C-alpha cells in the first residue's frame, strides 16, 4: 500500500473496456514516485523515502532504481517480471520475479520478520475499488504464491555478533521455503561460502539445512561470532589458529532466527593451522598426572585435523592426533552437554623425552598406535564437571568394543 509521497503516471491501456480477467489486456507506460511511504501489509514492513519508477511494457514489468529505507537500512533495488500482467490474473503461482538489492551495510537480524508467518490481509471489494487497488491485491498474491529470485550485495553484513564484508547472496523465496543458492563473504580474515535451504515446517519452527565452507578464518573470531556454536567444550577464549572447514548440518530455528535447543545435527571436517590452546582446563588437568614442570597454559601444536559428528547436545570426537609443544597425545570419545561425556586421552611414553623451546611438533598420523602409553579417561564427576582419572587397563577401549559388538548383534 502506498501511504504517502508524490508521483506521476503515464499509462496507455490496450484491451477490453468491460471488466475482465483475460490475458488480452496490455499496459505500456511509466509510474514514478518521490519520497513515498510504502507499507507491505502481509509482513507489516514499512519502506520510507521511496524513490524510483516502474515501467510497463505490454505484459512485462520493470522496476528501475528504487531507492528506499527499510528498518533503518538504505537500499537500492531493481527488478523485472516477464509476462507478469498475464500471469497475475490467471496463474500467479507461475510468476517469477528477479530482484536485485544493494546496500552498504545490512543487519540481517533486523530482517528476522521474513521467518514469521504472513499476516492475513482482508480487503473489502466495492465498486469504488480502482485499478491500482486491484493490482496491489494481485501483486500481494504473486509475492505469496510466486517465486522471487533475489540477488543481494552488501559491503558489510552483520548478524548479532557475526560481522562480514563484501557479502554476495543468491536466494530464491518460494511459497513456504527459501533456497540459498550461494552466499559468499569475507569473515575473520578468511572466506566463507554457504548454500542450503530453509523450510517452514510448523508454527514457529523452520528447518535449516546448510553447507558451509570456511577457508583460513581466525577460529577465535568465528567461535565468538557464533557464541561457540552453543557448546562450551572449546571456546573462543581457549582456541587460536587459522581454520579451514567443511560443515554440513541441519538445525531448527524459531521465527526470530534463534536455534531450538538440541536440534543441531551434522558433520564438521576441519583443519586448524598455527593452532594454540590457551588456559584450556581439560588439558591443564592432565598436569595432575604428567609433566608437572611443563607449561600447559599456552600450548602450540602442529596442524590439527579431524571429523566431528554433532547430534543434539553431543559431539563425537573421532580419533584425533595432537602434536604439541608440551606433549603428544591422541583423543577420542564423546563430549556432551547433558552429562554423558566420555573421553579417552592416550599419552605415549615417548613424551618423556625433553622438549625445549626449539622443539617443532609434527604429526605422525592417527593410524599409528602411539607405542607404549598412559591412558586417561574423562567422565562427569559428582559436581557435573568432567574429571580425568588414570585408565590403567584402557577400559574405554574395551567398553567401546563391547558397544560396537552389541550394535552388530542387534
Amino acid at each position: 500500500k502506498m501511504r504517502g509521497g508524490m508521483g506521476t503516471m503515464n499509462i496507455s491501456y490496450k484491451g477490453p473496456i468491460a471488466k475482465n480477467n483475460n490475458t488480452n489486456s496490455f499496459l505500456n507506460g511509466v509510474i514514478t514516485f518521490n519520497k513515498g511511504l510504502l507499507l507491505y501489509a502481509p509482513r507489516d514492513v514499512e519502506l520510507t523515502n521511496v524513490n524510483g519508477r516502474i515501467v510497463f511494457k505490454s505484459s512485462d514489468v520493470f522496476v528501475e532504481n528504487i531507492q528506499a529505507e527499510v528498518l533503518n537500512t538504505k537500499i537500492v533495488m531493481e527488478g523485472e517480471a516477464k509476462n507478469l500482467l498475464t500471469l497475475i490474473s490467471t496463474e500467479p503461482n507461475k510468476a517469477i520475479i528477479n530482484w536485485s538489492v544493494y546496500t552498504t551495510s545490512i543487519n540481517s537480524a533486523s530482517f528476522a520478520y521474513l521467518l514469521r508467518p504472513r499476516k492475513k490481509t482482508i480487503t473489502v471489494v466495492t465498486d469504488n475499488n480502482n485499478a491500482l487497488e486491484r493490482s496491489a491485491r494481485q501483486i500481494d498474491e504473486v509475492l505469496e504464491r510466486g517465486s522471487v529470485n533475489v540477488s543481494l550485495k552488501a559491503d558489510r553484513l552483520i548478524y548479532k555478533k557475526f560481522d562480514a564484508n563484501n557479502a554476495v547472496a543468491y536466494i530464491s523465496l518460494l511459497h513456504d521455503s527459501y533456497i540459498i543458492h550461494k552466499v559468499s563473504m569475507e569473515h575473520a580474515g578468511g572466506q566463507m561460502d554457504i548454500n542450503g535451504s530453509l523450510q517452514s515446517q510448523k508454527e514457529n519452527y523452520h528447518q535449516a539445512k546448510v553447507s558451509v565452507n570456511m577457508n583460513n578464518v581466525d577460529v577465535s573470531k568465528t567461535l565468538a561470532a557464533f557464541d561457540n556454536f552453543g557448546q562450551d567444550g572449546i571456546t573462543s577464549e581457549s582456541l587460536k589458529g587459522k581454520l579451514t572447514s567443511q560443515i554440513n548440518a541441519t538445525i531448527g530455528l524459531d521465527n526470530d532466527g534463534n536455534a531450538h535447543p538440541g536440534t543441531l545435527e551434522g558433520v564438521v571436517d576441519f583443519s586448524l593451522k598455527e593452532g594454540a590452546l590457551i588456559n584450556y582446563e581439560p588439558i591443564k588437568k592432565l598436569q595432575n598426572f604428567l609433566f608437572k614442570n611443563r607449561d600447559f597454559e599456552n600450548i602450540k601444536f602442529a596442524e590439527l585435523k579431524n571429523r566431528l559428528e554433532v547430534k543434539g547436545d553431543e559431539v563425537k570426537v573421532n580419533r584425533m592426533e595432537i602434536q604439541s609443544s608440551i606433549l603428544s597425545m591422541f583423543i577420542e570419545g564423546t563430549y556432551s552437554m547433558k552429562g554423558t561425556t566420555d573421553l579417552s586421552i592416550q599419552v605415549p611414553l615417548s613424551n618423556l623425552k625433553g622438549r625445549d623451546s626449539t622443539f617443532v611438533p609434527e604429526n605422525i598420523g592417527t593410524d599409528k598406535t602411539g607405542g607404549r602409553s598412559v591412558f586417561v579417561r574423562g567422565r562427569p564427576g559428582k559436581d557435573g564437571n568432567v574429571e580425568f582419572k588414570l585408565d590403567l587397563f584402557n577400559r574405554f577401549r574395551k567398553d567401546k568394543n563391547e558397544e560396537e559388538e552389541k550394535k552388530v548383534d542387534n
Side-chain angles (χ1 to χ4, degrees):
K1 297 179 180 179
M2 186 66 75
R3 304 175 67 181
M6 303 293 292
T8 61
M9 180 186 301
N10 185 358
I11 297 290
S12 64
Y13 168 78
K14 181 180 179 180
I17 296 177
K19 179 180 178 181
N20 78 99
N21 290 320
N22 297 325
T23 61
N24 59 341
S25 301
F26 300 97
L27 287 178
N28 286 280
V30 178
I31 298 176
T32 63
F33 33 87
N34 183 43
K35 296 182 180 180
L37 180 62
L38 179 67
L39 175 67
Y40 179 45
R43 299 289 186 185
D44 196 24
V45 177
E46 190 173 71
L47 284 76
T48 61
N49 199 25
V50 183
N51 301 279
R53 70 179 200 158
I54 300 176
V55 178
F56 299 92
K57 294 182 180 180
S58 296
S59 185
D60 300 336
V61 179
F62 301 87
V63 178
E64 300 180 349
N65 193 32
I66 299 293
Q67 301 180 35
E69 295 180 19
V70 54
L71 301 174
N72 298 317
T73 300
K74 293 183 178 181
I75 58 177
V76 179
M77 302 181 291
E78 292 187 344
E80 65 175 28
K82 296 295 184 68
N83 207 30
L84 178 64
L85 298 183
T86 297
L87 296 173
I88 201 170
S89 300
T90 57
E91 298 177 294
N93 59 306
K94 293 186 178 181
I96 299 176
I97 300 173
N98 296 312
W99 199 256
S100 64
V101 181
Y102 168 75
T103 180
T104 56
S105 179
I106 183 170
N107 188 335
S108 56
S110 300
F111 288 81
Y113 69 85
L114 291 172
L115 297 176
R116 298 174 189 144
R118 288 167 46 96
K119 289 188 174 181
K120 301 297 183 181
T121 56
I122 301 175
T123 303
V124 179
V125 180
T126 69
D127 293 338
N128 294 326
N129 285 134
N130 58 37
L132 288 178
E133 289 175 326
R134 289 195 299 272
S135 297
R137 293 196 304 275
Q138 291 172 325
I139 290 173
D140 277 350
E141 187 172 8
V142 166
L143 293 174
E144 168 68 6
R145 299 175 59 189
S147 301
V148 181
N149 299 319
V150 179
S151 170
L152 169 68
K153 292 184 178 181
D155 297 335
R156 185 184 182 194
L157 185 148
I158 303 169
Y159 180 74
K160 297 182 179 179
K161 297 180 181 180
F162 180 82
D163 200 333
N165 297 315
N166 298 322
V168 177
Y170 301 96
I171 302 172
S172 292
L173 283 65
L174 308 181
H175 175 61
D176 60 354
S177 64
Y178 300 133
I179 305 299
I180 305 170
H181 302 289
K182 182 180 179 180
V183 176
S184 178
M185 66 195 77
E186 298 171 5
H187 166 67
Q191 181 72 24
M192 179 179 292
D193 297 299
I194 305 170
N195 60 64
S197 62
L198 184 66
Q199 179 80 38
S200 178
Q201 294 192 334
K202 57 184 179 181
E203 184 178 356
N204 200 30
Y205 189 90
H206 312 268
Q207 183 76 20
K209 181 179 181 180
V210 295
S211 175
V212 182
N213 283 303
M214 290 187 283
N215 184 30
N216 204 39
V217 301
D218 186 318
V219 67
S220 178
K221 292 181 180 178
T222 300
L223 285 170
F226 290 99
D227 286 325
N228 299 313
F229 295 98
Q231 54 83 43
D232 59 3
I234 299 179
T235 67
S236 60
E237 290 79 13
S238 60
L239 186 62
K240 310 296 180 184
K242 299 295 184 180
L243 175 67
T244 296
S245 70
Q246 169 71 49
I247 303 171
N248 292 288
T250 59
I251 190 171
L253 303 175
D254 65 17
N255 288 344
D256 294 317
N258 299 314
H260 282 272
T263 60
L264 177 61
E265 185 171 342
V267 175
V268 181
D269 292 297
F270 72 91
S271 166
L272 185 67
K273 297 181 179 180
E274 302 175 21
L277 280 172
I278 311 298
N279 290 321
Y280 187 54
E281 286 300 323
I283 298 300
K284 288 175 66 177
K285 288 179 180 179
L286 290 177
Q287 205 167 20
N288 296 328
F289 310 98
L290 304 163
F291 315 121
K292 295 185 177 181
N293 295 324
R294 297 185 186 182
D295 181 10
F296 278 69
E297 294 187 357
N298 187 357
I299 305 173
K300 296 180 181 180
F301 45 85
E303 180 184 5
L304 184 64
K305 52 186 177 181
N306 194 28
R307 165 169 285 195
L308 304 178
E309 300 173 34
V310 183
K311 188 171 184 179
D313 297 317
E314 291 188 345
V315 179
K316 178 184 177 182
V317 181
N318 292 288
R319 182 171 169 82
M320 179 168 59
E321 178 183 12
I322 300 178
Q323 296 285 353
S324 76
S325 57
I326 300 302
L327 77 165
S328 301
M329 63 181 178
F330 297 87
I331 182 171
E332 64 180 305
T334 301
Y335 177 82
S336 172
M337 289 180 284
K338 57 181 182 181
T340 57
T341 294
D342 192 359
L343 294 170
S344 177
I345 299 176
Q346 176 187 355
V347 184
L349 293 181
S350 58
N351 283 286
L352 294 174
K353 297 179 181 179
R355 298 190 178 189
D356 57 23
S357 59
T358 63
F359 179 80
V360 178
E362 294 181 357
N363 291 328
I364 63 173
T366 56
D367 56 335
K368 299 295 191 296
T369 62
R372 294 171 62 87
S373 304
V374 173
F375 291 88
V376 178
R377 192 170 186 178
R379 289 191 288 187
K382 294 181 179 180
D383 60 357
N385 295 319
V386 177
E387 291 184 353
F388 289 89
K389 297 181 180 180
L390 285 172
D391 188 10
L392 295 177
F393 302 103
N394 196 9
R395 186 64 197 177
F396 173 89
R397 174 60 54 190
K398 295 178 181 178
D399 290 346
K400 183 177 181 180
N401 290 338
E402 289 176 1
E403 289 180 6
E404 291 176 352
E405 289 175 0
K406 289 180 180 178
K407 290 181 181 178
V408 172
D409 292 338
N410 294 333

